[in-house]
Amino acid sequence: MKIIVSVKQVPARDSSLRAGSDGKRLDETDLTYEMNEPDAYALEEALQLKEKLGGEVVVLSAGPDRVAQTIREALAKGADRAIHVQLNDGTQLDPLAAARLLAKAVEAEKADIVLTGLQSDDLGYGQTGVIMAELLGYAHATIVMEVEPQGDHVRVKRELEDGWFQNVLLPLPVVLTIQSGIKKLRYATLMGIKKAKTKEMKVISSGELQAEFATGLTIERVYVPQRNKQSQIFSGDAKRAAHELAEKLKFEARVI
Amino acid sequence: MSVLVVMEQRDGKLSRMSFEALAAGQQIAGILDVQAQAAVIGYSDNAKIAGVERVFALDDPLLTEYTPDGYTAAIEQLIQAQQPQAVVFPHTYQVRDYAPKLAARLGKVLISDVVAVKAEEASPVFVRQLFQGKLNADVKAASEQQFVSIQAGAFRVSEAPAARAPVERFPVKLDASQIRSKPEAPFREAQRSIDLGAAEVIVSVGRGIKEKDNLPIVEALADVLGAELAASRPICDNGWLPMERQVGSSGQTVSPKVYFAIGISGAIQHLVGMKGSKTVVAINKDENAPIFEAADYGVVGDLFEVVPALVDEIKKVKA
Ligand SMILES: Cc1cc2nc3c(=O)[nH]c(=O)nc-3n(C[C@H](O)[C@H](O)[C@H](O)COP(=O)(O)OP(=O)(O)OC[C@H]3O[C@@H](n4cnc5c(N)ncnc54)[C@H](O)[C@@H]3O)c2cc1C
């Protein structure tokens, strides 16, 4: 079984975010980065599938040089080798452009299963996996909670709204987008970190892949949303704020 | 030319989000100065849709059960026949599953999870959230034909009386061999033993609590208020609280008199589960956390200081 996991590097979760000077993109100075959380679960699922079935896990990521760090983390956790689709700093891809690049890289590999997170925590389009499937001609399923291989098929448990679920049977090859939280994530061991240094990391420039690069949308402006609701906000000293809040809850909202 | 709104049915009923998407579609149609049309898959006669020029009913035995292959092929045929200028969807789990595929098949990008539409020289500009609501972006489609999906709760459903639109059956050509996935019947996990929907006061905790061992801090607040304890999804995923205490799109929907959101950022999937609360109190160290947009009262501060202080204060005012 050959499994490709497509992971994205995104700004760390508690980053303080602001727009850059052109007002059109994120200010990236002082940001630290981490593996997109749903992608970390996709990687975990891939590693567990490999432990069950044997085969190979290939990690795939598109981004500038800094992405190598996230790739090494995946290798340290147990992925066998990696493909880094190298982009220039500051390249912004819409989901179609990103999927075109990634699909080209997958095409050359002929995977059985392609896994990725159901959305990224930064841009949050939630589309890359689905579009990759369309471009590759693979079947797909989204918001996947469980993956059960059955010969040349895979049976997955999908999450639906309001606490409903559904099992779906799909033929291989397949693209699955994985929901966060479905398994416990492993940590990289010291041994793993050491071994990662010897594993193959193939770097391909985006130009080499000859994917169509036209953008389907333009971002006109990025900004901190204006608050519309008239909320009463207390800050500063915690005791004082708690006192003011308790008074309001008792005498204004009359809820205690 | 038209704006086509693709509406979703469940158990023969159009969903609320579909009508919100319709409201967005009507606004986009106004900006583009074209008519709005609607499409429904698996049409049932009680689908009462007004304020559009026409409703297309797509009906085929192969569409009885949702599959991405079936829905993509069917709606693609309608789009090819009608050539709408914009195609608008509710941003449901189902739409997330097939609309990106449909747009890509036509060489377009879906502008997903849109929260507002503005007009700029007779063309629509779409507002979408980045970083789960911490930033917004104004986005324009680069193509003539645009695809957008609309976030839950972002548009108000029109209550104005309008004439029911005529329904036209749109024949689709599908072949069973086109459909690769075999869906089984949807199911629910075991029945819940806790009904948060009936709670009057809820203290809900998020990832800001950092560790399971810190939970007594919020439990103390729940105790003094006589409140039910609830949580955001990551807390339940980690097994720190049982799944049945999860609030949100994949958990319970609650509408208590007071909802305390403690160390919860306010992602849309959480907000949809608690927006109906009468009074919302948010405690968060990040003044830009989206939860404050939903809050009536907020404290910007460290929950590990604010919550114990609040417990003391509530004891005082209760005494
Ligand atoms: C398909 C789908 C379905 C989902 N369903 C649900 C659902 O039903 N329910 C749900 O909740 N989520 C759901 N999610 C997940 C959702 O998108 C968010 O990831 C989740 O709600 C975030 O939880 P959180 O706010 O606890 O964590 P975070 O987003 O990590 O927020 C933690 C917050 O704590 C604050 N904080 C940290 N430390 C402190 C401190 N010391 N004092 C005060 N504040 C602090 C931070 O500023 C931050 O705002 C779903 C996601 C998807 C994609």
Side-chain angles (χ1 to χ4, degrees), chain A residues 1-6 42 45-46 49-50 53-54 56-58 106 109-116 132 136 138-139 144 147-156 170-178:
Chain A
M1 183 80 58
K2 188 190 235 179
I3 305 169
I4 295 185
V5 198
S6 187
E45 185 64 47
L49 283 171
K50 182 193 151 180
L53 305 164
E56 188 187 28
V57 173
V58 182
V106 170
E109 287 284 340
K110 306 228 178 319
D112 300 297
I113 299 181
V114 178
L115 299 179
T116 189
M132 273 168 83
L136 289 161
Y138 292 8
V144 168
V147 184
E148 185 198 323
Q150 297 187 344
D152 57 359
H153 282 69
V154 60
R155 184 168 177 256
V156 300
L170 300 147
L172 299 181
V174 74
V175 178
L176 305 175
T177 79
I178 301 292

Side-chain angles (χ1 to χ4, degrees), chain A residues 37 122 127 134 140 142 155 159 165-167 169 216 218 220-221 223 227 231-232 234 243 252, chain B residues 96-97 105 110 112 131 136 138 140 142 180 182 184 187 207 233 287 295-298 300 313:
Chain A
E37 186 174 45
D122 55 354
Q127 301 186 32
E134 169 66 16
H140 82 269
T142 53
R155 184 168 177 256
E159 179 180 316
F165 300 93
Q166 180 173 41
N167 290 315
L169 188 70
T218 54
E220 307 256 292
R221 199 158 82 86
Y223 51 98
R227 230 177 263 155
S231 11
Q232 299 190 45
F234 310 105
H243 176 74
E252 192 177 275
Chain B
R96 294 173 64 119
D97 196 59
R105 186 167 294 180
L110 171 72
S112 48
F131 296 92
N136 275 359
D138 290 353
K140 263 180 146 174
R180 292 168 290 182
K182 286 197 185 59
E184 299 171 22
F187 62 94
R207 190 135 63 172
R233 181 170 180 142
E287 60 171 340
D296 301 280
Y297 302 99
V300 178
E313 291 294 334

Side-chain angles (χ1 to χ4, degrees), chain A residues 13-14 37-38 118-119 121 143 159 179-180, chain B residues 93 96 132 134 205-210 231-235 246-252 262-272 283-286 289-291 301-304:
Chain A
R13 197 183 309 118
D14 277 348
E37 186 174 45
L118 84 178
Q119 63 186 42
D121 288 338
I143 321 189
E159 179 180 316
Q179 172 66 292
S180 274
Chain B
Y93 287 21
R96 294 173 64 119
Q132 305 205 321
K134 285 196 213 162
V205 57
R207 190 135 63 172
I209 196 73
K210 304 231 158 52
S232 67
R233 181 170 180 142
I235 301 299
Q246 180 183 316
V247 169
S249 65
S250 49
Q252 299 208 40
I262 299 175
I264 292 177
S265 60
I268 177 65
Q269 294 88 359
H270 188 80
L271 295 181
V272 294
I283 300 174
N284 198 301
K285 68 171 185 188
D286 174 9
I291 190 69
D302 185 345
L303 74 90
F304 296 103

